[in-house]
Amino acid sequence: MDRRRFISNVVAAAGIAGPFAGVACAGAQGGVKPVRGYGPLRPVRDLRDGKVRLHLPEGFKYRSFSVAGDKFSDGSTVPGRHDGMAAFSGPKGSAVLIRNHEVNGPVGAFGDKSRAYDPMAGGGTSTLQVTRYGEVIKSAPSLNGTMMNCSGGPMVWRAWLSCEETVNGPDVADDFSGGDNAKLTEKHGYIFEVPVGRAATARPIRSAGRFPHESAAFDPSSGAIYLTEDNFAFPSGFYRYLPPKHPVLAGRLLDGGRLQMLAVKGAKRKDLSVGQARGAAYATTWVDIDDPDPDLKGRPSNDEAVQMVGRQGREAGAALFSRLEGAVHHQGTIYFVSTQGGATAPGDTAPDGFGKGRGQVWAYETWSGRLKLVYESPRAAVLDLPDNVTASRRGTLVLCEDGEGDNYLRGVTKAGEIFDFSRLEAIPGDTGAEFAGSTFGPGGHTLYVNVQAKQGMSIAIWGPWERGPF
């Protein structure tokens, strides 16, 4: 099949069908419509070692695998900080997972340092072939020498875009962690393409911006890459990168394109981080970022450098969001998460950083330019700081929580109903453990998800999906 026919088939498969086909807005400020989902959660033992790590509905099983400190097939060590991830079809019904490692600081590259983008940086990706029951067939580093690889997105040409959530580099003063940026050899804050089946070239897409990237979602109709920004202490933006050639036709994502930032029509610098009215919807436009990879002079502070690209958009009228994290394309719509968006509910405590709510989910309709609020957390007990997001084949969203107490995998249905699917068992001495990187495997048999913890791991979950909204 030639690539032009392939792109037509990809667009058809995207199922572009009506406004906000995946999820509907529900209730006042997102509202609370409790739904049974898959039923009550109960402790379930890990099939790997018998320990209870997850609470799941009746009938579901899981196995953890590829734990930090384990060995890859090549004998090198699996790094920690498992984060964003995507699943691709592999041989004989297996899945090929490409998984981020959100490692910060000049700690040295894992794997083969001769292939590293920056031999002093400890982040990157690993690629694993696994069965649908979480049994590892083979594994290896696939991108190394990058930093703070938080999330990204799967591309239809069988590649993963991995995003650096930082602007660290030798030209920037040290960040919040106190790591010595002078030890770094390259600038960070870019996106990198990791193809399925081979190691990445470790070439950054500089025209897609240098800012704290979080996720990437591909629109097969236009070829645009939609990008989220998680700028913890400052306003964040929703971006799109327009490559010089459609990636499906090019066979990869090309540098040299145009970066833009979303703005609300007729409302310059509209603050969308605050609580929204029921059914809030906006007509939008896009403003250009003239200098997506600014030349930093005088080694500015990290706080200054991290705002340089976003400030250009806001000065041109772009909208303000709070901590944009997960993003996914489904049926012509990009769903993306604002982790601290919304109003502070009575009885809740406002989180640190920019944004005082407990989370919003937004939908951007690529073919009409309409932006709509899908869900806004009414209180922390219902939804607490959503992070990564994926969609099931039915269009139900899976939200990974990053809250301060118990962390859940929550589902949001097409009717705007929210339900609990899994609770992470508390890990003694590791209150920061959280879910990340949820992704359905080929055919929808298995939900793969990561636990980002002091000893991170990946998990395969399977069971009677047909019994509920996924």
Side-chain angles (χ1 to χ4, degrees):
M1 182 184 297
D2 65 48
R3 283 180 174 165
R4 292 190 183 277
R5 286 178 61 200
F6 176 55
I7 191 172
S8 298
N9 290 349
V10 166
V11 172
I16 298 173
F20 311 103
V23 180
C25 185
Q29 294 190 354
V32 185
K33 290 187 176 181
V35 62
R36 175 178 170 77
Y38 290 88
L41 307 184
R42 60 188 183 87
V44 180
R45 294 189 181 277
D46 189 336
L47 292 178
R48 176 171 67 90
D49 59 9
K51 292 184 178 180
V52 173
R53 293 187 169 91
L54 301 183
H55 294 239
L56 290 165
E58 182 72 31
F60 283 88
K61 300 178 181 180
Y62 70 97
R63 176 181 283 107
S64 63
F65 60 94
S66 192
V67 179
D70 284 355
K71 297 296 182 182
F72 289 119
S73 299
D74 66 1
S76 60
T77 301
V78 176
R81 304 287 297 172
H82 301 41
D83 209 313
M85 184 168 65
F88 302 85
S89 60
K92 299 180 180 179
S94 65
V96 176
L97 303 176
I98 304 182
R99 180 185 64 196
N100 277 0
H101 296 277
E102 192 188 16
V103 180
N104 195 14
V107 297
F110 67 93
D112 183 354
K113 288 183 172 54
S114 70
R115 299 186 59 89
Y117 168 69
D118 180 342
M120 287 303 299
T125 67
S126 52
T127 297
L128 307 92
Q129 183 187 354
V130 301
T131 72
R132 57 185 191 168
Y133 300 106
E135 299 152 321
V136 178
I137 299 169
K138 60 181 179 179
S139 60
S142 47
L143 171 68
N144 62 347
T146 53
M147 180 177 284
M148 289 284 285
N149 297 73
C150 197
S151 192
M155 303 294 119
V156 298
W157 60 95
R158 289 179 64 81
W160 165 256
L161 291 186
S162 185
C163 298
E164 292 185 307
E165 190 193 4
T166 183
V167 292
N168 281 338
D171 58 341
V172 180
D174 301 342
D175 70 3
F176 65 94
S177 69
D180 186 358
N181 278 353
K183 294 180 179 179
L184 299 173
T185 65
E186 298 288 346
K187 299 189 297 183
H188 296 270
Y190 303 109
I191 63 175
F192 294 79
E193 183 172 324
V194 184
V196 174
R198 64 185 189 276
T201 60
R203 288 196 294 263
I205 309 297
R206 299 183 187 276
S207 297
R210 186 186 184 190
F211 59 86
H213 287 274
E214 177 76 24
S215 291
F218 174 63
D219 173 32
S221 179
S222 66
I225 309 292
Y226 290 85
L227 302 165
T228 58
E229 176 183 33
D230 183 6
N231 205 341
F232 179 81
F234 308 102
S236 295
F238 184 56
Y239 299 78
R240 71 179 180 186
Y241 174 63
L242 305 175
K245 187 175 183 179
H246 196 295
V248 173
L249 298 178
R252 61 189 178 93
L253 182 62
L254 299 176
D255 207 345
R258 185 158 47 120
L259 183 66
Q260 298 180 318
M261 199 168 174
L262 181 132
V264 173
K265 283 186 177 180
K268 287 189 174 183
R269 294 175 55 86
K270 177 71 174 177
D271 188 354
L272 299 178
S273 72
V274 299
Q276 300 290 310
R278 177 179 180 176
Y282 302 94
T284 67
T285 186
W286 294 88
V287 299
D288 287 335
I289 303 296
D290 293 329
D291 189 6
D293 187 16
D295 186 15
L296 306 184
K297 303 291 187 183
R299 204 165 185 257
S301 72
N302 214 278
D303 282 355
E304 176 63 21
V306 83
Q307 299 181 75
M308 284 187 175
V309 170
R311 185 179 290 137
Q312 294 177 55
R314 288 186 291 276
E315 288 176 351
L320 286 67
F321 293 91
S322 165
R323 298 195 58 202
L324 296 188
E325 297 206 78
V328 63
H329 175 274
H330 183 74
Q331 294 186 335
T333 297
I334 307 294
Y335 296 97
F336 62 98
V337 170
S338 172
T339 294
Q340 293 180 197
T344 306
D348 278 356
T349 301
D352 294 334
F354 186 86
K356 302 305 177 186
R358 289 288 164 172
Q360 297 166 325
V361 181
W362 292 92
Y364 175 78
E365 199 172 58
T366 60
W367 51 276
S368 73
R370 290 278 290 175
L371 177 72
K372 187 174 182 179
L373 179 72
V374 170
Y375 194 90
E376 182 171 302
S377 175
R379 58 185 182 275
V382 176
L383 179 64
D384 192 15
L385 306 184
D387 190 334
N388 292 171
V389 61
T390 194
S392 73
R393 290 181 297 176
R394 298 185 192 179
T396 302
L397 299 181
V398 183
L399 301 177
C400 296
E401 276 192 338
D402 182 11
E404 296 166 356
D406 289 337
N407 281 293
Y408 288 82
L409 290 176
R410 314 263 196 188
V412 179
T413 71
K414 291 181 180 180
E417 301 163 327
I418 192 165
F419 63 92
D420 301 340
F421 175 70
S422 179
R423 178 170 69 83
L424 182 63
E425 176 79 0
I427 301 174
D430 193 359
T431 57
E434 64 187 74
F435 285 115
S438 61
T439 181
F440 282 97
H445 174 275
T446 307
L447 177 66
Y448 299 97
V449 67
N450 292 322
V451 174
Q452 188 176 105
K454 289 180 179 179
Q455 188 179 37
M457 64 187 64
S458 297
I459 295 178
I461 304 171
W462 63 92
W465 299 111
E466 70 283 353
R467 202 176 69 202
F470 290 141

